Amino acid sequence: MAHEEIEALAAFMTRTPGLAVLTGAGVSTASGIPDYRDDEGDWKRSPPMQHQVFMDSHAARQRYWARALVGFRALHEARPNPAHRALAELEARGLVTGVITQNVDGLHRRAGSRRVIDLHGRADVVRCMACGARRMRHDLHDELGELNPDWLELGASVGPDGDADLERDFSDFRVPSCQRCGDGIWKPDVVFFGDSVPRDTVTEAFSLLDECRGLLVVGSSLMVYSGYRFARRAARDNKPMACLNLGRTRADDLFDLKVTASAETGLTALAEALEEMAPRPADQA
């Protein structure tokens, strides 16, 4: 990351105050949450759980929740990093109007961002797919631990979004059903691959983009269409766009400016550059 690139991004921000920011997994890696893709936008690991597989297969749900019982600890314990805090500060200064995030970790709000659209939902809530009942995920995990105490002792490397690299026989793992309706399936209140982002959420995100003067993409390859479409919409509307990301993105040919850096390093440097550019009160006589 060259100093000149950060200065150019700072100038972009001051020319187009009130930006919408679209964030991806790269914003949360410094909080200890792994991402899915490498710098070329290719999978680092097997693709995540598909919605229909989860709904159709009890064995798939056993595998998912057993791995989550181990891996979700990292997501639950994650704290906002300098990237989250920098974006919250930029919003407080009026340079950012709101954040559209593809992440499900809730760290933008915890860092102080006020207007956040969780495009793919929130991982800390689970929902019954039959009756719509909701409960906090830690409550379900407590129940899973009571039903499967031997699994609490297992360890494995952490994967993205609360997954874990755990492979064994999952056939004895007990998964509870919804007690409210009797047999409903508990699913994280997030958009799995193969599922659709709720229409109201998409409408809210496009409304934010429409009222903003431009778009800043941070920490996302935009390989998933649910995020890429916002870059396409901004390009269609001739809105200026900048990107801060470590690797290749699907929208590289659409950006007016791209800075290659990690989210936490780049946004920290950006905040410092903007502070230096801010007008100072005239010296008092």
Side-chain angles (χ1 to χ4, degrees), residues 21-279:
V21 179
L22 174 64
T23 68
V27 171
S28 293
T29 52
S31 295
I33 303 173
D35 54 4
Y36 285 106
R37 299 179 185 272
D38 61 22
D39 290 351
E40 293 300 314
D42 298 322
W43 293 109
K44 292 180 177 180
R45 53 194 284 123
S46 299
M49 177 64 71
Q50 297 282 323
H51 174 81
Q52 206 56 52
V53 173
F54 183 90
M55 294 302 300
D56 291 346
S57 170
H58 179 68
R61 294 193 293 275
Q62 287 177 302
R63 181 178 184 272
Y64 178 87
W65 286 116
R67 289 165 61 113
L69 191 59
V70 176
F72 191 73
R73 300 165 194 163
L75 199 66
H76 181 65
E77 295 170 0
R79 297 294 180 267
N81 67 60
H84 300 104
R85 292 193 290 270
L87 288 174
E89 175 61 24
L90 291 174
E91 181 185 14
R93 294 173 57 180
L95 294 169
V96 166
T97 296
V99 175
I100 303 166
T101 184
Q102 299 170 88
N103 300 334
V104 297
D105 50 43
L107 293 179
H108 283 299
R109 282 192 176 85
R110 292 174 66 182
S113 289
R114 294 183 295 275
R115 188 174 183 183
V116 180
I117 298 171
D118 296 301
L119 194 63
H120 294 159
R122 289 283 297 274
D124 57 352
V125 177
V126 294
R127 177 166 60 97
C128 174
M129 300 304 289
C131 70
R134 283 177 166 81
R135 65 193 289 195
M136 295 307 296
R137 184 162 175 168
H138 66 76
D139 182 55
L140 175 61
H141 278 237
D142 288 345
E143 185 177 2
L144 288 168
E146 292 172 359
L147 293 171
N148 307 278
D150 293 344
W151 292 75
L152 293 173
E153 305 302 320
L154 299 178
S157 59
V158 175
D161 294 340
D163 192 14
D165 293 321
L166 179 67
E167 292 297 347
R168 55 177 296 169
D169 180 5
F170 299 105
S171 61
D172 65 343
F173 190 84
R174 299 174 63 190
V175 180
S177 299
C178 174
Q179 294 181 356
R180 174 177 164 182
C181 64
D183 60 356
I185 294 171
W186 287 116
K187 174 184 172 292
D189 200 14
V190 302
V191 178
F192 278 3
F193 277 71
D195 200 359
S196 298
V197 177
R199 184 182 300 274
D200 289 348
T201 303
V202 175
T203 299
E204 183 183 7
F206 275 130
S207 295
L208 170 60
L209 182 61
D210 288 344
E211 73 182 67
C212 292
R213 296 179 60 187
L215 176 67
L216 173 64
V217 176
V218 182
S220 176
S221 66
L222 299 180
M223 293 300 173
V224 178
Y225 182 75
S226 62
Y228 174 61
R229 60 181 153 190
F230 296 105
R232 290 188 58 185
R233 174 70 159 260
R236 186 202 73 178
D237 294 344
N238 294 314
K239 294 193 174 187
M241 277 189 289
C243 176
L244 174 64
N245 193 58
L246 270 177
R248 183 174 69 90
T249 84
R250 190 176 177 182
D252 279 350
D253 60 336
L254 301 179
F255 298 129
D256 300 286
L257 172 66
K258 184 178 179 185
V259 177
T260 301
S262 67
E264 68 278 7
T265 300
L267 287 174
T268 299
L270 173 63
E272 292 172 352
L274 287 166
E275 184 65 28
E276 292 177 0
M277 294 171 61

